[in-house]
Amino acid sequence: MTVNETSKMSKSETGKWYDDNKLTNDKFCLEMEKIIRDIIESEKLHVHIVNGRVKKKDSFLKKYEDKRYSGINQMNDVVGIRVITLILEDVDKVCNLIKKAFDVVEEDDKTQKLKGNEVGYQSVHYVLKLNATRRELPENQHFVDKVFEIQIRTLLQHAWAEIEHDNGYKFAGKLPKEIEREFYLIAGTLELMDMEFQKLSNNLTEYKKNVSTNIKESKLEIEINSASLNEYLDEKFKGFNNVEKVFGNRNALIIQELKDFGINTIAKLNSIITDEFLNNYKNITNTNYSGLIRDVMIISNTDKYFNQVWNRNWEAFDYESYQFYKDCYKHINIDSICEKYNIGIQF
């Protein structure tokens, strides 16, 4: 679809146009989806999904006839991208990224069209085209005149939209009055839930900020949870480029191991991370926060860890950790531990 084709075509001509442009539109869709995903990931913004689609031919022809368009150029949603966020503020963040990365042809914020006493479909829609910089790239020469639609909304807004707009579902069309009222009450509830999730996110951000401030000021009597543990480790090991700053989806397990070890505050954890450990740990490679915490406990009290905590939650030392013990903590006798507890070594 290009913005220059304005003359009204017959149904057969429209169908031929669709077929002739299908391959290019497919490529255009994939490229726009990739660009948008890359933009979002580059800003470390977490969203639920980014996906694109080319409108199916029957839907394209039906809409072209029903809307009485005067030309193909008015069909701005043949290629469509959808971005679903988890919270409300991320809708605004994605919108700002999009407006910087593309030229905006049209903007339509459905939320702003609802009156104060109305509930219903909420989403931000843009019709976009490549900006001047991207239009000059050789790989985009087939797309310089093309436009596409992008819809940006939260997961809960998306749930409402899918139910409300699915013409094959029982809620489509005009509902009986009492059921219609219930239907829109649910829409209002979803909107309130979106607001509550945003409030929850804001509270967590504020909590992390306060925890970070306390840690930097050495006020460490803080309950250990995923947020506080991450903030503490990020600060304590910020110069350790050899440690991957992730738990590998084992946050809850590591926190439970710490509690089983008798550590339930950041202060208690900090008390067993000695200067000797910090100096030695600069020599380890290929580890993450989960491995680090386990190393701290094992070095602090080997028997206590394996008798009260381990419970076969893992069954092998990676070779780097094994060598770390061999080089820096010979008194622990890592080979005896491996033999006693039937622990392997991953090379």
Side-chain angles (χ1 to χ4, degrees), residues 9-256:
M9 295 189 292
S10 67
K11 186 173 182 178
S12 61
E13 289 174 326
T14 307
K16 185 178 185 304
W17 179 92
Y18 180 94
D19 294 336
D20 291 344
N21 288 272
K22 180 65 165 60
L23 182 59
T24 302
N25 282 333
D26 285 341
K27 292 179 179 178
F28 182 51
C29 182
L30 288 173
E31 184 61 26
M32 295 308 100
E33 183 180 335
K34 180 180 182 302
I35 290 173
I36 291 167
R37 185 177 286 109
D38 288 347
I39 290 169
I40 291 172
E41 290 178 355
S42 69
E43 295 295 320
K44 295 182 170 55
L45 184 60
H46 177 68
V47 300
H48 176 63
I49 196 168
V50 177
N51 67 2
R53 64 96 184 101
V54 176
K55 190 180 285 292
K56 293 181 180 179
K57 186 175 182 179
D58 56 348
S59 298
F60 167 78
L61 293 173
K62 186 176 187 305
K63 184 172 182 179
Y64 187 70
E65 289 300 314
D66 290 350
K67 295 291 184 179
R68 301 183 184 279
Y69 290 126
S70 61
I72 289 292
N73 68 301
Q74 295 179 331
M75 288 280 288
N76 291 327
D77 64 343
V78 177
V79 171
I81 308 292
R82 184 173 289 159
V83 180
I84 309 298
T85 73
L86 295 175
I87 56 176
L88 286 165
E89 71 175 14
D90 287 344
V91 171
D92 292 334
K93 290 178 181 179
V94 172
C95 288
N96 290 333
L97 292 175
I98 292 303
K99 287 188 284 188
K100 290 178 183 177
F102 295 91
D103 286 345
V104 177
V105 178
E106 295 178 14
E107 179 176 351
D108 185 10
D109 187 344
K110 304 295 184 181
T111 305
Q112 299 302 317
K113 293 184 176 182
L114 292 174
K115 297 178 182 178
N117 62 345
E118 290 181 331
V119 294
Y121 178 65
Q122 298 186 58
S123 182
V124 182
H125 295 192
Y126 293 101
V127 176
L128 305 171
K129 65 178 181 179
L130 294 171
N131 61 21
T133 301
R134 285 196 167 89
R135 288 198 298 270
E136 292 177 359
L137 297 175
E139 62 267 28
N140 290 333
Q141 291 309 296
H142 295 296
F143 308 142
V144 291
D145 292 323
K146 285 189 168 296
V147 299
F148 67 99
E149 182 187 68
I150 184 169
Q151 300 176 357
I152 308 161
R153 53 184 180 246
T154 69
L155 186 58
L156 291 178
Q157 290 171 347
H158 180 62
W160 167 258
E162 289 295 287
I163 292 174
E164 185 185 38
H165 289 140
D166 189 344
N167 291 326
Y169 199 57
K170 65 177 70 174
F171 296 140
K174 182 66 176 175
L175 299 172
K177 185 176 180 180
E178 64 276 12
I179 298 178
E180 183 179 52
R181 175 171 172 75
E182 183 179 358
F183 191 54
Y184 281 96
L185 282 172
I186 294 173
T189 301
L190 289 176
E191 187 173 340
L192 283 172
M193 289 174 65
D194 248 342
M195 294 177 182
E196 289 301 314
F197 276 123
Q198 183 61 60
K199 187 186 299 183
L200 192 64
S201 175
N202 293 343
N203 290 342
L204 184 56
T205 299
E206 186 64 23
Y207 174 80
K208 288 181 177 180
K209 180 180 177 181
N210 292 336
V211 166
S212 180
T213 298
N214 287 336
I215 287 171
K216 289 174 181 177
E217 296 176 355
S218 297
K219 299 175 182 177
L220 303 182
E221 287 299 333
I222 305 167
E223 172 198 12
I224 285 185
N225 52 51
S226 294
S228 64
L229 187 56
N230 269 288
E231 291 294 326
Y232 169 74
L233 294 176
D234 285 350
E235 177 65 22
K236 191 76 172 179
F237 293 89
K238 60 183 177 183
F240 288 66
N241 297 324
N242 55 326
V243 179
E244 189 178 4
K245 295 174 172 55
V246 297
F247 283 92
N249 296 322
R250 291 188 289 272
N251 305 59
L253 178 59
I254 295 300
I255 290 172
Q256 185 58 53

Side-chain angles (χ1 to χ4, degrees), residues 279-321:
N279 289 330
N280 288 336
Y281 219 69
K282 291 176 181 177
N283 299 318
I284 199 169
T285 58
N286 190 32
T287 191
N288 58 23
Y289 279 166
S290 294
L292 185 156
I293 293 295
R294 284 169 172 163
D295 288 334
V296 168
M297 289 188 283
I298 292 170
I299 291 167
S300 174
N301 192 324
T302 306
D303 290 336
K304 183 178 181 180
Y305 178 80
F306 284 103
N307 292 328
Q308 297 183 23
V309 178
W310 177 49
N311 198 29
R312 304 206 70 88
N313 290 330
W314 51 274
E315 297 184 347
F317 286 105
D318 59 68
Y319 179 74
E320 289 81 4
S321 294

